[in-house]
Amino acid sequence: MPERREINREMILILLGAPGAGKGTQCARLAQSLVVPHISTGNILRDHIERRSDLGVRIKTIVETGGLVPDGLMLDLLDERLKKSDCATGFILDGLPRTFEQAVALDSRLHPLYKGTSPLVVRLIVSEYSLLRRLEARRICPSCGESYSNYLEHVKTPGICEHDGATLVARSDDGPATVHRRLLRYQEKISPIVEHYSRNNVLITIDGDQPAHRVTTEILKEITSHRKRRKPIDTASQLV
Ligand code: AP5
C-alpha cells in the first residue's frame, strides 16, 4: 500500500458499539463536523449486495442472517477504501473492527499510512432494551439510504423519506431472530477488542443511551482532548 504523507490534523476515529448503538447516526454527524469521510463497512457490504456484485452474491446470506463476513474479505475492502484520496486527512470508521484479528490488522494498516497519528476509539454503551427498541423501529430509505426511526418524532411524513419521497422499509437484518444473532455475535467478540484499545490508551466510553445530539457533543469534547495527548499505537509486535 502506498505511504501517505504525514499531515498535521489527521483524524482517525473508530466507533464501537452493539447493533443499534448509534454508530451510523453519530458517524454521519461527526463526518460533517470534522470534514472527513464516514466509512461504514455495513454500507459497503449492502451496496455490493444491492448491485449483485460477485462479492455481494457471496456475502448476501451471511449479512442477512447476522453472521460475520470473513476477516480477509473485510480487510481487502478496507484497503481498497483507504486508498481513496478522501482518506488523506483521516476518516471515521463504523463497523470494523468486529474481531480481534481485524483490530490488529487495522493497526498495521494505520501505522504506515498515518505516521504519528493514533486513532481515537469511541465505544457507545447502550442498554439492551434501547438497542432492541431502536432496531425494531429503524426504517431505511431504499433509494438514498437515509436512516429513520419510527419512535423519534422528527419525521415530517411517517414512513416517507424526506429527501426523495420513497417509502421507507425495515433493514433486512433487523428482524427479531437476526437481531438476536447479531447481538450475540457482538457480545462474543467485543471484549478482546476493547482490551486491545484500552491497553493502548485510545479508548473512551460514552453513554449512547442519551439523545443523539448529546452523544455527539460528548464525542467532540473527547476528540479535542485526544488531539492534545495523542501518540501512535505501537504495532511492532502486532503486525499480521
Ligand atoms: P452494520 O451495518 O455495521 O450493522 P451493525 O453494527 O449491526 O450496526 P447498525 O447499523 O445496526 O446500528 P448502528 O450502531 O449504526 O445504529 P444506527 O445509528 O443505525 O453491519 C451489518 C452486517 O454487515 C453485520 O451484521 C455483518 O454481517 C456485516 N459486517 C459489517 N462489518 C463487518 C466486519 N467488519 N466484519 C464482518 N462482518 C461485517 O441507529 C439505529 C437506530 O437507532 C436508527 O433508527 C437511529 O435513528 C436510532 N438512534 C440512533 N441514535 C439514537 C439515540 N441516541 N437515541 C435514540 N435513537 C437513536
Side-chain angles (χ1 to χ4, degrees):
M1 217 187 299
E3 281 217 346
R4 186 163 284 140
R5 261 184 312 124
E6 191 172 339
I7 300 160
N8 283 333
R9 291 186 59 78
E10 303 104 337
M11 182 70 245
I12 300 168
L13 192 64
I14 299 169
L15 262 80
L16 301 178
K23 302 180 296 296
T25 303
Q26 292 304 321
C27 286
R29 289 161 161 259
L30 293 164
Q32 277 197 343
S33 299
L34 300 168
V35 200
V36 284
H38 166 200
I39 303 179
S40 157
T41 53
N43 284 348
I44 293 173
L45 296 172
R46 282 185 287 277
D47 179 57
H48 274 278
I49 293 171
E50 176 78 24
R51 288 189 284 110
R52 299 187 187 158
S53 70
D54 288 348
L55 176 69
V57 171
R58 281 165 71 194
I59 58 158
K60 185 177 186 324
T61 308
I62 300 176
V63 172
E64 291 182 351
T65 56
L68 286 183
V69 173
D71 289 344
L73 281 181
M74 292 313 303
L75 294 166
D76 287 348
L77 288 172
L78 179 72
D79 287 342
E80 204 178 295
R81 184 63 187 86
L82 293 184
K83 275 184 204 155
K84 295 197 176 159
S85 59
D86 63 343
C87 293
T89 54
F91 55 86
I92 305 180
L93 186 55
D94 154 19
L96 189 151
R98 267 187 153 85
T99 62
F100 175 71
E101 291 71 20
Q102 289 183 10
V104 174
L106 176 61
D107 290 349
S108 73
R109 279 147 173 86
L110 295 185
H111 189 63
L113 285 175
Y114 302 93
K115 286 194 190 83
T117 298
S118 64
L120 176 64
V121 182
V122 175
R123 184 184 185 198
L124 298 176
I125 304 285
V126 176
S127 66
E128 188 166 312
Y129 171 80
S130 296
L131 295 173
L132 294 173
R133 188 159 177 245
R134 288 181 189 182
L135 293 173
E136 197 267 324
R138 175 164 55 190
R139 295 294 179 274
I140 302 289
C141 173
S143 172
C144 70
E146 182 74 29
S147 176
Y148 295 85
S149 171
N150 266 350
Y151 84 87
L152 299 175
E153 281 86 43
H154 55 66
V155 183
K156 278 188 208 137
T157 317
I160 301 295
C161 179
E162 290 174 6
H163 303 299
D164 50 36
T167 301
L168 305 179
V169 295
R171 214 167 88 176
S172 61
D173 57 349
D174 276 349
T178 308
V179 163
H180 179 69
R181 223 170 289 130
R182 288 163 61 203
L183 288 171
L184 264 184
R185 202 68 71 235
Y186 175 78
Q187 282 152 8
E188 278 166 14
K189 300 283 180 187
I190 193 63
S191 297
I193 300 174
V194 164
E195 279 158 25
H196 172 71
Y197 289 125
S198 185
R199 243 190 336 266
N200 281 291
N201 291 319
V202 293
L203 180 76
I204 58 149
T205 298
I206 300 271
D207 173 10
D209 250 327
Q210 312 173 77
H213 69 275
R214 288 220 194 114
V215 178
T216 313
T217 304
E218 284 203 16
I219 297 174
L220 287 170
K221 222 186 313 169
E222 291 290 345
I223 289 171
T224 306
S225 82
H226 172 75
R227 276 184 158 146
K228 290 181 189 154
R229 62 182 149 77
R230 64 189 179 183
K231 276 196 315 205
I233 284 185
D234 175 15
T235 56
S237 57
Q238 298 174 341
L239 300 184
V240 292

PDB file of all heavy atoms in Angstrom, residues 40-63:
ATOM      1  N   SER A  40     -18.433   3.148   6.406  1.00  0.00           N
ATOM      2  CA  SER A  40     -19.294   2.173   7.073  1.00  0.00           C
ATOM      3  C   SER A  40     -19.136   0.848   6.351  1.00  0.00           C
ATOM      4  O   SER A  40     -19.514   0.720   5.178  1.00  0.00           O
ATOM      5  CB  SER A  40     -20.751   2.643   7.006  1.00  0.00           C
ATOM      6  OG  SER A  40     -21.617   1.539   7.150  1.00  0.00           O
ATOM      7  N   THR A  41     -18.579  -0.143   7.034  1.00  0.00           N
ATOM      8  CA  THR A  41     -18.389  -1.439   6.361  1.00  0.00           C
ATOM      9  C   THR A  41     -19.744  -2.067   6.040  1.00  0.00           C
ATOM     10  O   THR A  41     -19.902  -2.721   5.014  1.00  0.00           O
ATOM     11  CB  THR A  41     -17.533  -2.392   7.214  1.00  0.00           C
ATOM     12  OG1 THR A  41     -18.096  -2.489   8.519  1.00  0.00           O
ATOM     13  CG2 THR A  41     -16.098  -1.927   7.300  1.00  0.00           C
ATOM     14  N   GLY A  42     -20.728  -1.840   6.904  1.00  0.00           N
ATOM     15  CA  GLY A  42     -22.069  -2.365   6.630  1.00  0.00           C
ATOM     16  C   GLY A  42     -22.618  -1.771   5.342  1.00  0.00           C
ATOM     17  O   GLY A  42     -23.182  -2.484   4.495  1.00  0.00           O
ATOM     18  N   ASN A  43     -22.449  -0.450   5.160  1.00  0.00           N
ATOM     19  CA  ASN A  43     -22.948   0.192   3.926  1.00  0.00           C
ATOM     20  C   ASN A  43     -22.211  -0.326   2.695  1.00  0.00           C
ATOM     21  O   ASN A  43     -22.812  -0.529   1.637  1.00  0.00           O
ATOM     22  CB  ASN A  43     -22.786   1.714   4.002  1.00  0.00           C
ATOM     23  CG  ASN A  43     -23.828   2.353   4.904  1.00  0.00           C
ATOM     24  OD1 ASN A  43     -24.798   1.702   5.305  1.00  0.00           O
ATOM     25  ND2 ASN A  43     -23.617   3.619   5.248  1.00  0.00           N
ATOM     26  N   ILE A  44     -20.895  -0.538   2.837  1.00  0.00           N
ATOM     27  CA  ILE A  44     -20.121  -1.054   1.694  1.00  0.00           C
ATOM     28  C   ILE A  44     -20.659  -2.437   1.299  1.00  0.00           C
ATOM     29  O   ILE A  44     -20.891  -2.731   0.123  1.00  0.00           O
ATOM     30  CB  ILE A  44     -18.612  -1.124   2.042  1.00  0.00           C
ATOM     31  CG1 ILE A  44     -18.060   0.296   2.225  1.00  0.00           C
ATOM     32  CG2 ILE A  44     -17.831  -1.886   0.963  1.00  0.00           C
ATOM     33  CD1 ILE A  44     -16.616   0.351   2.738  1.00  0.00           C
ATOM     34  N   LEU A  45     -20.908  -3.274   2.315  1.00  0.00           N
ATOM     35  CA  LEU A  45     -21.402  -4.631   2.029  1.00  0.00           C
ATOM     36  C   LEU A  45     -22.814  -4.582   1.424  1.00  0.00           C
ATOM     37  O   LEU A  45     -23.113  -5.287   0.455  1.00  0.00           O
ATOM     38  CB  LEU A  45     -21.406  -5.474   3.307  1.00  0.00           C
ATOM     39  CG  LEU A  45     -20.031  -5.749   3.929  1.00  0.00           C
ATOM     40  CD1 LEU A  45     -20.183  -6.428   5.285  1.00  0.00           C
ATOM     41  CD2 LEU A  45     -19.165  -6.603   3.011  1.00  0.00           C
ATOM     42  N   ARG A  46     -23.667  -3.722   2.017  1.00  0.00           N
ATOM     43  CA  ARG A  46     -25.048  -3.638   1.485  1.00  0.00           C
ATOM     44  C   ARG A  46     -25.053  -3.131   0.046  1.00  0.00           C
ATOM     45  O   ARG A  46     -25.863  -3.545  -0.769  1.00  0.00           O
ATOM     46  CB  ARG A  46     -25.917  -2.754   2.391  1.00  0.00           C
ATOM     47  CG  ARG A  46     -26.369  -3.478   3.663  1.00  0.00           C
ATOM     48  CD  ARG A  46     -27.319  -2.646   4.488  1.00  0.00           C
ATOM     49  NE  ARG A  46     -26.653  -1.557   5.165  1.00  0.00           N
ATOM     50  CZ  ARG A  46     -25.995  -1.667   6.325  1.00  0.00           C
ATOM     51  NH1 ARG A  46     -25.943  -2.822   6.941  1.00  0.00           N
ATOM     52  NH2 ARG A  46     -25.400  -0.630   6.874  1.00  0.00           N
ATOM     53  N   ASP A  47     -24.104  -2.235  -0.264  1.00  0.00           N
ATOM     54  CA  ASP A  47     -24.007  -1.740  -1.639  1.00  0.00           C
ATOM     55  C   ASP A  47     -23.635  -2.879  -2.606  1.00  0.00           C
ATOM     56  O   ASP A  47     -24.205  -3.007  -3.690  1.00  0.00           O
ATOM     57  CB  ASP A  47     -22.962  -0.613  -1.679  1.00  0.00           C
ATOM     58  CG  ASP A  47     -22.781  -0.059  -3.071  1.00  0.00           C
ATOM     59  OD1 ASP A  47     -23.786   0.397  -3.649  1.00  0.00           O
ATOM     60  OD2 ASP A  47     -21.640  -0.090  -3.592  1.00  0.00           O
ATOM     61  N   HIS A  48     -22.698  -3.731  -2.170  1.00  0.00           N
ATOM     62  CA  HIS A  48     -22.333  -4.886  -3.016  1.00  0.00           C
ATOM     63  C   HIS A  48     -23.543  -5.815  -3.209  1.00  0.00           C
ATOM     64  O   HIS A  48     -23.769  -6.336  -4.299  1.00  0.00           O
ATOM     65  CB  HIS A  48     -21.181  -5.671  -2.385  1.00  0.00           C
ATOM     66  CG  HIS A  48     -19.836  -5.118  -2.745  1.00  0.00           C
ATOM     67  ND1 HIS A  48     -19.207  -5.418  -3.932  1.00  0.00           N
ATOM     68  CD2 HIS A  48     -19.006  -4.275  -2.087  1.00  0.00           C
ATOM     69  CE1 HIS A  48     -18.040  -4.791  -3.989  1.00  0.00           C
ATOM     70  NE2 HIS A  48     -17.894  -4.086  -2.875  1.00  0.00           N
ATOM     71  N   ILE A  49     -24.295  -6.007  -2.123  1.00  0.00           N
ATOM     72  CA  ILE A  49     -25.457  -6.906  -2.212  1.00  0.00           C
ATOM     73  C   ILE A  49     -26.486  -6.313  -3.172  1.00  0.00           C
ATOM     74  O   ILE A  49     -27.017  -7.003  -4.049  1.00  0.00           O
ATOM     75  CB  ILE A  49     -26.069  -7.127  -0.808  1.00  0.00           C
ATOM     76  CG1 ILE A  49     -25.082  -7.907   0.060  1.00  0.00           C
ATOM     77  CG2 ILE A  49     -27.409  -7.856  -0.897  1.00  0.00           C
ATOM     78  CD1 ILE A  49     -25.461  -8.006   1.538  1.00  0.00           C
ATOM     79  N   GLU A  50     -26.724  -5.027  -3.034  1.00  0.00           N
ATOM     80  CA  GLU A  50     -27.701  -4.316  -3.874  1.00  0.00           C
ATOM     81  C   GLU A  50     -27.320  -4.399  -5.362  1.00  0.00           C
ATOM     82  O   GLU A  50     -28.152  -4.641  -6.226  1.00  0.00           O
ATOM     83  CB  GLU A  50     -27.729  -2.853  -3.384  1.00  0.00           C
ATOM     84  CG  GLU A  50     -28.604  -1.893  -4.161  1.00  0.00           C
ATOM     85  CD  GLU A  50     -30.066  -2.065  -3.803  1.00  0.00           C
ATOM     86  OE1 GLU A  50     -30.336  -2.548  -2.698  1.00  0.00           O
ATOM     87  OE2 GLU A  50     -30.902  -1.721  -4.659  1.00  0.00           O
ATOM     88  N   ARG A  51     -26.019  -4.235  -5.629  1.00  0.00           N
ATOM     89  CA  ARG A  51     -25.547  -4.249  -7.025  1.00  0.00           C
ATOM     90  C   ARG A  51     -25.368  -5.672  -7.549  1.00  0.00           C
ATOM     91  O   ARG A  51     -25.032  -5.883  -8.703  1.00  0.00           O
ATOM     92  CB  ARG A  51     -24.198  -3.524  -7.132  1.00  0.00           C
ATOM     93  CG  ARG A  51     -24.293  -2.026  -6.971  1.00  0.00           C
ATOM     94  CD  ARG A  51     -22.971  -1.353  -7.299  1.00  0.00           C
ATOM     95  NE  ARG A  51     -21.961  -1.485  -6.254  1.00  0.00           N
ATOM     96  CZ  ARG A  51     -20.862  -2.213  -6.351  1.00  0.00           C
ATOM     97  NH1 ARG A  51     -20.590  -2.896  -7.446  1.00  0.00           N
ATOM     98  NH2 ARG A  51     -20.003  -2.280  -5.350  1.00  0.00           N
ATOM     99  N   ARG A  52     -25.512  -6.658  -6.677  1.00  0.00           N
ATOM    100  CA  ARG A  52     -25.299  -8.075  -7.026  1.00  0.00           C
ATOM    101  C   ARG A  52     -23.928  -8.309  -7.638  1.00  0.00           C
ATOM    102  O   ARG A  52     -23.780  -9.023  -8.653  1.00  0.00           O
ATOM    103  CB  ARG A  52     -26.391  -8.568  -7.971  1.00  0.00           C
ATOM    104  CG  ARG A  52     -27.724  -8.464  -7.314  1.00  0.00           C
ATOM    105  CD  ARG A  52     -28.808  -9.087  -8.109  1.00  0.00           C
ATOM    106  NE  ARG A  52     -30.059  -8.771  -7.440  1.00  0.00           N
ATOM    107  CZ  ARG A  52     -31.238  -8.768  -8.006  1.00  0.00           C
ATOM    108  NH1 ARG A  52     -31.355  -9.100  -9.261  1.00  0.00           N
ATOM    109  NH2 ARG A  52     -32.309  -8.476  -7.327  1.00  0.00           N
ATOM    110  N   SER A  53     -22.935  -7.646  -7.044  1.00  0.00           N
ATOM    111  CA  SER A  53     -21.556  -7.898  -7.487  1.00  0.00           C
ATOM    112  C   SER A  53     -21.198  -9.328  -7.075  1.00  0.00           C
ATOM    113  O   SER A  53     -21.916  -9.948  -6.271  1.00  0.00           O
ATOM    114  CB  SER A  53     -20.601  -6.903  -6.815  1.00  0.00           C
ATOM    115  OG  SER A  53     -20.505  -7.199  -5.436  1.00  0.00           O
ATOM    116  N   ASP A  54     -20.056  -9.837  -7.570  1.00  0.00           N
ATOM    117  CA  ASP A  54     -19.633 -11.192  -7.166  1.00  0.00           C
ATOM    118  C   ASP A  54     -19.540 -11.287  -5.651  1.00  0.00           C
ATOM    119  O   ASP A  54     -20.003 -12.256  -5.046  1.00  0.00           O
ATOM    120  CB  ASP A  54     -18.254 -11.526  -7.770  1.00  0.00           C
ATOM    121  CG  ASP A  54     -18.361 -11.771  -9.259  1.00  0.00           C
ATOM    122  OD1 ASP A  54     -19.512 -11.907  -9.744  1.00  0.00           O
ATOM    123  OD2 ASP A  54     -17.313 -11.792  -9.936  1.00  0.00           O
ATOM    124  N   LEU A  55     -18.928 -10.250  -5.059  1.00  0.00           N
ATOM    125  CA  LEU A  55     -18.798 -10.254  -3.606  1.00  0.00           C
ATOM    126  C   LEU A  55     -20.174 -10.208  -2.951  1.00  0.00           C
ATOM    127  O   LEU A  55     -20.448 -10.939  -1.991  1.00  0.00           O
ATOM    128  CB  LEU A  55     -17.963  -9.033  -3.153  1.00  0.00           C
ATOM    129  CG  LEU A  55     -17.835  -8.881  -1.642  1.00  0.00           C
ATOM    130  CD1 LEU A  55     -16.979  -9.989  -1.050  1.00  0.00           C
ATOM    131  CD2 LEU A  55     -17.256  -7.527  -1.263  1.00  0.00           C
ATOM    132  N   GLY A  56     -21.042  -9.358  -3.503  1.00  0.00           N
ATOM    133  CA  GLY A  56     -22.391  -9.220  -2.947  1.00  0.00           C
ATOM    134  C   GLY A  56     -23.128 -10.548  -2.916  1.00  0.00           C
ATOM    135  O   GLY A  56     -23.790 -10.885  -1.925  1.00  0.00           O
ATOM    136  N   VAL A  57     -22.992 -11.310  -3.987  1.00  0.00           N
ATOM    137  CA  VAL A  57     -23.675 -12.618  -4.062  1.00  0.00           C
ATOM    138  C   VAL A  57     -23.108 -13.559  -2.988  1.00  0.00           C
ATOM    139  O   VAL A  57     -23.843 -14.281  -2.320  1.00  0.00           O
ATOM    140  CB  VAL A  57     -23.526 -13.207  -5.482  1.00  0.00           C
ATOM    141  CG1 VAL A  57     -24.031 -14.643  -5.543  1.00  0.00           C
ATOM    142  CG2 VAL A  57     -24.244 -12.324  -6.499  1.00  0.00           C
ATOM    143  N   ARG A  58     -21.773 -13.491  -2.789  1.00  0.00           N
ATOM    144  CA  ARG A  58     -21.131 -14.389  -1.811  1.00  0.00           C
ATOM    145  C   ARG A  58     -21.525 -14.074  -0.370  1.00  0.00           C
ATOM    146  O   ARG A  58     -21.632 -14.958   0.459  1.00  0.00           O
ATOM    147  CB  ARG A  58     -19.598 -14.277  -1.919  1.00  0.00           C
ATOM    148  CG  ARG A  58     -19.032 -15.057  -3.093  1.00  0.00           C
ATOM    149  CD  ARG A  58     -17.615 -14.642  -3.374  1.00  0.00           C
ATOM    150  NE  ARG A  58     -16.669 -15.085  -2.368  1.00  0.00           N
ATOM    151  CZ  ARG A  58     -15.429 -14.612  -2.266  1.00  0.00           C
ATOM    152  NH1 ARG A  58     -14.995 -13.685  -3.090  1.00  0.00           N
ATOM    153  NH2 ARG A  58     -14.613 -15.077  -1.350  1.00  0.00           N
ATOM    154  N   ILE A  59     -21.743 -12.784  -0.086  1.00  0.00           N
ATOM    155  CA  ILE A  59     -21.927 -12.408   1.326  1.00  0.00           C
ATOM    156  C   ILE A  59     -23.379 -12.155   1.722  1.00  0.00           C
ATOM    157  O   ILE A  59     -23.673 -11.967   2.887  1.00  0.00           O
ATOM    158  CB  ILE A  59     -21.108 -11.131   1.654  1.00  0.00           C
ATOM    159  CG1 ILE A  59     -21.558  -9.995   0.719  1.00  0.00           C
ATOM    160  CG2 ILE A  59     -19.620 -11.389   1.558  1.00  0.00           C
ATOM    161  CD1 ILE A  59     -21.270  -8.641   1.237  1.00  0.00           C
ATOM    162  N   LYS A  60     -24.272 -12.158   0.728  1.00  0.00           N
ATOM    163  CA  LYS A  60     -25.685 -11.783   0.993  1.00  0.00           C
ATOM    164  C   LYS A  60     -26.267 -12.565   2.187  1.00  0.00           C
ATOM    165  O   LYS A  60     -26.786 -11.982   3.136  1.00  0.00           O
ATOM    166  CB  LYS A  60     -26.507 -12.039  -0.274  1.00  0.00           C
ATOM    167  CG  LYS A  60     -27.963 -11.591  -0.170  1.00  0.00           C
ATOM    168  CD  LYS A  60     -28.630 -11.827  -1.516  1.00  0.00           C
ATOM    169  CE  LYS A  60     -30.021 -11.323  -1.680  1.00  0.00           C
ATOM    170  NZ  LYS A  60     -30.992 -11.317  -0.690  1.00  0.00           N
ATOM    171  N   THR A  61     -26.134 -13.877   2.138  1.00  0.00           N
ATOM    172  CA  THR A  61     -26.757 -14.682   3.193  1.00  0.00           C
ATOM    173  C   THR A  61     -26.096 -14.416   4.540  1.00  0.00           C
ATOM    174  O   THR A  61     -26.773 -14.332   5.570  1.00  0.00           O
ATOM    175  CB  THR A  61     -26.654 -16.182   2.841  1.00  0.00           C
ATOM    176  OG1 THR A  61     -27.174 -16.339   1.531  1.00  0.00           O
ATOM    177  CG2 THR A  61     -27.455 -17.050   3.790  1.00  0.00           C
ATOM    178  N   ILE A  62     -24.775 -14.259   4.527  1.00  0.00           N
ATOM    179  CA  ILE A  62     -24.070 -14.009   5.798  1.00  0.00           C
ATOM    180  C   ILE A  62     -24.620 -12.734   6.444  1.00  0.00           C
ATOM    181  O   ILE A  62     -24.985 -12.718   7.618  1.00  0.00           O
ATOM    182  CB  ILE A  62     -22.542 -13.834   5.571  1.00  0.00           C
ATOM    183  CG1 ILE A  62     -21.926 -15.079   4.956  1.00  0.00           C
ATOM    184  CG2 ILE A  62     -21.846 -13.465   6.882  1.00  0.00           C
ATOM    185  CD1 ILE A  62     -20.434 -14.940   4.622  1.00  0.00           C
ATOM    186  N   VAL A  63     -24.687 -11.652   5.654  1.00  0.00           N
ATOM    187  CA  VAL A  63     -25.126 -10.361   6.208  1.00  0.00           C
ATOM    188  C   VAL A  63     -26.588 -10.434   6.627  1.00  0.00           C
ATOM    189  O   VAL A  63     -26.955  -9.987   7.716  1.00  0.00           O
ATOM    190  CB  VAL A  63     -24.895  -9.231   5.172  1.00  0.00           C
ATOM    191  CG1 VAL A  63     -25.521  -7.926   5.645  1.00  0.00           C
ATOM    192  CG2 VAL A  63     -23.404  -9.041   4.905  1.00  0.00           C
TER     193      VAL A  63
END
